[in-house]
């Protein structure tokens, strides 16, 4: 989902310091507006069909990155095509200026907001990624970033690649959900509550919860390779997309600066382990990440200067997490290399 404290058209129905249950200066993230689901039985009118839908992402956005990682791990590249937006939005929403003619070649639109308008005429709320668009009609189907990846795991099974891992195994769902809830509240969203806080009190509260949770997660991972069980699950995907952005943007830009991830021995090794796992690091584009955060958030960084650091070469160094055991893909196999059109320049 796009990030803006203003609730503008380029943001995701969010506001800072507003809302019935919001303390003064506290960042408030609203729920997704379009929550239809694409399911095996088509209960919401959107049945799983290969080639029918297009996933729209920004490589900068951690919420969209969840969908990228899950799509890669499950091998859904051919079944669910991919559109990548420019990391820099304008007042008209996420734009397809990376494509010839500044239009998505499949949807034929210049701005993601056009798919929102096709779904709901006159819609004037936030335009967020990830989003799935119905190609035949051009209508937005869903921008429900919380449910979207779970449905890719549980509803798109007939289209998974051979050897696809179980990212949301039924026997572990209660524990996965519990882990994800705390990580979402205090880490995934917590960095934004710190970065977009408009009062010292709101910032201090978010900062304290963020690092308390990171300390708890670090302790939990000290003697186990993954968050739940001995394989990668959805919980690891959701934690990774924040950790991989932490030193590059959240530490300085969002004032989450008690310490860097590189300064936490456990979390740094865990993050590198995942980064070096096929399907994770090969979806990360640090250039898009840094340009988006530092150039879009003018209230936080009015000069829009993009810092040169940090040094990213450490992401490829040995992590030794394999010594803890565990099998990344369980009884499955690693995904093959990404399609040529989706290859990201390696570090």
């Amino acid at each position: 989902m796009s990030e803006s404290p203003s609730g503008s058209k380029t943001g995701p129905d969010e506001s800072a310091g507003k809302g019935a249950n919001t303390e003064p200066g506290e960042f408030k993230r609203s729920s997704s507006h379009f929550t239809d689901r694409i399911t095996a039985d088509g209960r919401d009118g959107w049945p799983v069909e290969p080639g029918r839908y297009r996933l729209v992402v920004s490589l900068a956005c951690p919420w969209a990155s969840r969908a990228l990682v899950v799509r890669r791990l499950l091998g859904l590249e051919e079944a669910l095509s991919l559109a990548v937006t420019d990391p820099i939005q304008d007042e008209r929403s996420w734009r397809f200026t990376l494509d010839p003619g500044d239009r998505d070649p499949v949807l034929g639109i210049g701005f993601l907001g056009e798919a929102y308008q096709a779904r709901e005429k006159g819609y004037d709320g936030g335009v967020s990624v990830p989003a799935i668009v119905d190609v035949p009609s051009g209508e937005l189907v869903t921008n429900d970033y919380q449910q979207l990846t779970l449905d890719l795991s549980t509803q798109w099974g007939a289209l998974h690649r051979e050897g696809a891992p179980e990212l949301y195994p039924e026997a572990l769902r209660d524990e996965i959900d519990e882990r994800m809830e705390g990580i979402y509240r205090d880490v995934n969203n917590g960095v934004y509550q710190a970065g977009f806080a408009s009062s010292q009190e709101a910032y201090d509260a978010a900062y304290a919860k963020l690092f308390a949770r990171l300390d708890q997660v670090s302790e939990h991972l000290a003697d186990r390779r993954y968050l739940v069980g001995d394989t990668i699950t959805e919980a690891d995907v959701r934690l990774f997309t924040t950790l991989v952005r932490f030193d590059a943007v959240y530490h300085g830009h969002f004032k989450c600066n008690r310490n860097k991830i590189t300064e936490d021995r456990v979390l740094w090794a865990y993050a590198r382990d995942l980064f070096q796992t096929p399907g994770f690091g090969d979806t990360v584009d640090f250039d898009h990440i840094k340009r988006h955060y530092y150039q879009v958030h003018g209230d936080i960084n009015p000069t829009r200067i993009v810092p040169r650091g940090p040094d990213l070469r450490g992401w490829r160094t040995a992590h030794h997490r394999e010594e803890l055991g565990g099998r990344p893909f369980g009884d499955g196999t690693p995904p093959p290399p990404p399609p040529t059109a989706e290859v990201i320049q390696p570090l």
Side-chain angles (χ1 to χ4, degrees):
M1 120 178 312
S2 58
E3 292 85 21
S4 167
S6 63
S8 67
K9 197 168 268 193
T10 57
D13 299 337
E14 298 170 337
S15 59
K18 300 178 182 178
N21 299 311
T22 306
E23 296 297 324
E26 181 181 343
F27 169 74
K28 171 72 172 178
R29 184 182 299 278
S30 298
S31 58
S32 300
H33 184 74
F34 299 96
T35 58
D36 284 4
R37 296 175 60 191
I38 300 170
T39 58
D41 61 8
R43 69 193 73 162
D44 285 355
W46 306 104
V48 171
E49 293 180 17
R52 175 173 174 176
Y53 306 102
R54 190 155 175 83
L55 174 65
V56 181
V57 303
S58 162
L59 300 180
C61 173
W63 319 100
S65 288
R66 297 176 178 182
L68 275 176
V69 172
V70 169
R71 174 177 171 270
R72 282 271 293 119
L73 295 178
L74 300 179
L76 290 171
E77 290 95 332
E78 292 187 9
L80 179 62
S81 66
L82 182 68
V84 177
T85 68
D86 192 305
I88 309 301
Q89 306 134 292
D90 68 19
E91 69 280 358
R92 292 165 292 182
S93 78
W94 294 99
R95 52 190 184 167
F96 295 105
T97 48
L98 302 181
D99 295 302
D102 295 345
R103 289 190 170 271
D104 179 80
V106 174
L107 299 174
I109 58 177
F111 298 89
L112 179 56
E114 296 175 55
Y116 279 67
Q117 289 290 329
R119 171 65 184 274
E120 184 178 304
K121 189 175 181 179
Y123 175 74
D124 62 356
V127 176
S128 64
V129 290
I132 294 184
V133 179
D134 178 51
V135 174
S137 68
E139 294 182 9
L140 178 80
V141 177
T142 180
N143 67 342
D144 189 349
Y145 65 102
Q146 296 281 49
Q147 186 63 42
L148 191 155
T149 50
L150 299 181
D151 283 344
L152 292 181
S153 287
T154 62
Q155 301 296 317
W156 291 64
L159 300 176
H160 290 179
R161 66 178 176 87
E162 183 177 356
E166 282 195 79
L167 299 177
Y168 196 49
E170 192 165 358
L172 298 176
R173 285 181 190 176
D174 287 346
E175 186 178 355
I176 292 171
D177 289 346
E178 181 180 2
R179 288 282 167 196
M180 292 194 304
E181 195 281 329
I183 288 169
Y184 168 78
R185 183 185 62 243
D186 299 332
V187 179
N188 300 147
N189 197 46
V191 292
Y192 292 97
Q193 290 180 318
F196 289 146
S198 58
S199 74
Q200 188 69 51
E201 293 76 15
Y203 164 76
D204 288 346
Y207 178 99
K209 289 190 294 183
L210 166 65
F211 283 103
R213 180 66 62 178
L214 286 176
D215 288 344
Q216 184 271 327
V217 172
S218 180
E219 182 179 358
H220 176 75
L221 288 168
D223 60 358
R224 69 195 77 200
R225 193 170 180 185
Y226 304 111
L227 283 168
V228 181
D230 65 353
T231 65
I232 292 167
T233 68
E234 174 85 16
D236 297 294
V237 175
R238 295 189 181 196
L239 178 57
F240 171 78
T241 59
T242 295
L243 295 184
V244 79
R245 288 162 172 77
F246 200 94
D247 290 6
V249 290
Y250 302 144
H251 178 270
H253 185 58
F254 279 176
K255 307 179 186 70
C256 300
N257 58 359
R258 191 195 73 178
N259 59 269
K260 297 178 181 177
I261 295 301
T262 54
E263 295 167 346
D264 183 302
R265 180 185 61 83
V266 172
L267 291 181
W268 177 223
Y270 168 80
R272 281 178 293 158
D273 186 5
L274 292 177
F275 185 88
Q276 294 170 32
T277 299
F280 283 84
D282 52 29
T283 68
V284 175
D285 190 315
F286 284 107
D287 174 63
H288 278 220
I289 291 168
K290 289 169 60 178
R291 285 197 290 127
H292 170 76
Y293 281 90
Y294 287 103
Q295 293 187 331
V296 169
H297 300 155
D299 290 348
I300 299 175
N301 184 37
T303 66
R304 292 179 167 81
I305 293 172
V306 180
R308 291 295 184 184
D311 188 342
L312 301 172
R313 290 174 294 181
W315 283 101
R316 291 294 182 189
T317 60
H319 53 77
H320 305 295
R321 293 281 293 180
E322 66 278 358
E323 297 171 7
L324 295 174
R327 301 173 300 151
F329 304 100
D331 294 330
T333 58
T340 301
E342 296 181 18
V343 172
I344 294 170
Q345 186 68 30
L347 298 180

